[in-house]
Amino acid sequence: YIDRECPNKTCLFQFKIKPGTGRLDRATSYTCPKCGHRAAEDKWYTSQQLKEAEKLAIRRVNSIVDSALRQDASSFNRRQPSGGFVRMSMKVSGLSQLSSINLPIAASEAMELEISCDQCHADFAVIGSAFFCPGCGHSSAPRVFDDAMRKIIAKKDHIPEIREAVAAASGPDAAELVARSLVESCLTDGVVAFQRLCEVLYQQLPAAKKTPQNVFQRLDDGSQLWRDAVGSGYDDWIDTGSLSDLKLFFQRRHLLAHSDGFVDDKYIEKSNDKAYAPGQRIVVSQADVDRLVGVLVALSDGIRSAVAKHQPVQPETGSRP
């Protein structure tokens, strides 16, 4: 793997590519896996590589100058006549005896997430998440969804440490506000990731039609779209209890987005949530986040399997025996 860095100054995302895979060798430009910025292939050297290259260049120049001065001094000293009252010699100092050997620039540490593009099969590695293939620029909706689920769980799991750090820096009130905001944002992250996954996978179907905006955030409408397209809906892929929980979480996310989590009659009617009365504010627990992710993953597995079965068969290439 070779280290690369996004040249977009607002991004500077570092990643690794594996030459000889996918379109990485044939590409005249790369795409940043994080922000999607595209630039010529000679623009992706990392900041550390550029600094080290500058050091090597200066060392090389110093080596050339040092060698030339020492040769001049040696030649001058050899030309001095023997005998006489005055004898002159030249000595080079100030520069040490430098080597012009350029050692390879050290690679950065291995990155945790290794990815193979499902479009061109380029291999690359990142820390955190990747949304685009550096070789072909393809954005894999299933991989982005999986990354979103990992991000939600990581955010939820580290709330205790974040609360402790904020409390030490700004006090317990600020810590509680940050912790509550983080756990509530997990609902929004889950709904948005599911919406994006469904939008992309649905459009891959031969029977796909234009869909209303954010239709997959309305679970009944989204389920009917899938049933019309592939013959199955959400109640075929997850059990009744899971679907009921998912509807509740989606309604709570809507409440957080549009009324800061305060319960109204419309929410009670749509969610059938008996735990709250109008005027109260919902509470999102870490157990709710775990349940949301578990249901979304199970539902996404069913959707992916159904879409794979209904996609057109790719024609074979090459000659037959």
Side-chain angles (χ1 to χ4, degrees):
Y1 284 91
I2 298 177
D3 296 313
R4 288 292 177 257
E5 180 180 288
C6 178
N8 179 3
K9 298 302 182 182
T10 62
C11 179
L12 299 179
F13 181 69
Q14 291 196 356
F15 58 100
K16 291 175 179 283
I17 62 172
K18 190 173 184 180
T21 62
R23 297 183 184 175
L24 289 174
D25 273 349
R26 300 191 302 273
T28 57
S29 60
Y30 294 145
T31 299
C32 173
K34 181 179 180 181
C35 73
H37 178 77
R38 196 158 186 87
E41 60 180 341
D42 60 350
K43 304 296 184 183
W44 296 84
Y45 297 108
T46 70
S47 301
Q48 184 63 28
Q49 286 171 338
L50 294 175
K51 289 179 182 179
E52 293 296 328
E54 183 180 7
K55 291 179 183 178
L56 292 175
I58 293 174
R59 186 177 179 86
R60 174 60 177 167
V61 170
N62 286 342
S63 174
I64 294 173
V65 172
D66 177 74
S67 177
L69 290 176
R70 292 180 187 278
Q71 289 178 11
D72 288 344
S74 176
S75 176
F76 177 83
N77 293 335
R78 287 196 304 269
R79 290 198 302 268
Q80 293 302 304
S82 60
F85 294 103
V86 178
R87 182 174 176 84
M88 300 177 63
S89 66
M90 183 181 293
K91 180 181 179 181
V92 177
S93 62
L95 291 175
S96 60
Q97 190 75 34
L98 297 175
S99 169
S100 62
I101 298 176
N102 291 336
L103 298 176
I105 297 173
S108 64
E109 295 182 0
M111 296 184 173
E112 295 183 0
L113 184 60
E114 295 184 3
I115 300 169
S116 180
C117 175
D118 54 16
Q119 192 77 13
C120 77
H121 306 294
D123 293 334
F124 58 104
V126 301
I127 293 177
S129 299
F131 304 103
F132 304 93
C133 168
C136 68
H138 173 65
S139 179
S140 169
R143 176 165 43 81
V144 171
F145 175 81
D146 293 340
D147 284 350
M149 296 300 103
R150 290 192 306 109
K151 179 186 75 171
I152 292 171
I153 293 299
K155 186 191 299 187
K156 183 267 301 180
D157 286 346
H158 288 85
I159 286 176
E161 293 95 325
I162 295 171
R163 179 188 278 113
E164 182 178 347
V166 175
S170 304
D173 289 341
E176 184 57 33
L177 288 173
V178 170
R180 176 173 59 81
S181 176
L182 281 174
V183 74
E184 289 178 353
S185 70
C186 290
L187 292 188
T188 297
D189 292 346
V191 172
V192 171
F194 181 73
Q195 164 74 26
R196 169 65 178 165
L197 175 71
C198 289
E199 284 178 343
V200 175
L201 293 185
Y202 181 79
Q203 292 303 321
Q204 295 177 3
L205 295 171
K209 55 186 178 181
K210 187 175 181 180
T211 59
Q213 186 176 13
N214 296 331
V215 66
F216 292 106
Q217 294 183 21
R218 303 188 295 274
L219 291 174
D220 289 338
D221 294 342
S223 180
Q224 189 59 50
L225 279 174
W226 288 117
R227 191 173 298 281
D228 293 341
V230 300
S232 300
Y234 295 159
D235 54 352
D236 296 303
W237 296 317
I238 56 176
D239 59 64
T240 303
S242 296
L243 186 55
S244 296
D245 288 345
L246 194 62
K247 288 180 178 180
L248 183 65
F249 293 140
F250 271 49
Q251 286 299 319
R252 288 184 178 178
R253 177 263 171 187
H254 184 83
L255 205 63
L256 287 168
H258 297 284
S259 63
D260 196 28
F262 286 94
V263 176
D264 53 21
D265 292 326
K266 189 174 182 180
Y267 167 78
I268 298 294
E269 178 185 350
K270 286 192 171 184
S271 68
N272 197 31
D273 189 352
K274 305 298 185 183
Y276 296 97
Q280 290 184 281
R281 193 182 189 281
I282 62 169
V283 175
V284 181
S285 68
Q286 295 187 35
D288 291 336
V289 175
D290 287 331
R291 177 63 171 159
L292 172 68
V293 171
V295 175
L296 285 178
V297 169
L299 184 55
S300 72
D301 288 344
I303 293 172
R304 294 187 210 192
S305 177
V307 170
K309 292 177 182 178
H310 285 78
Q311 284 182 332
V313 177
Q314 297 296 325
E316 296 183 5
T317 58
S319 58
R320 293 183 178 274

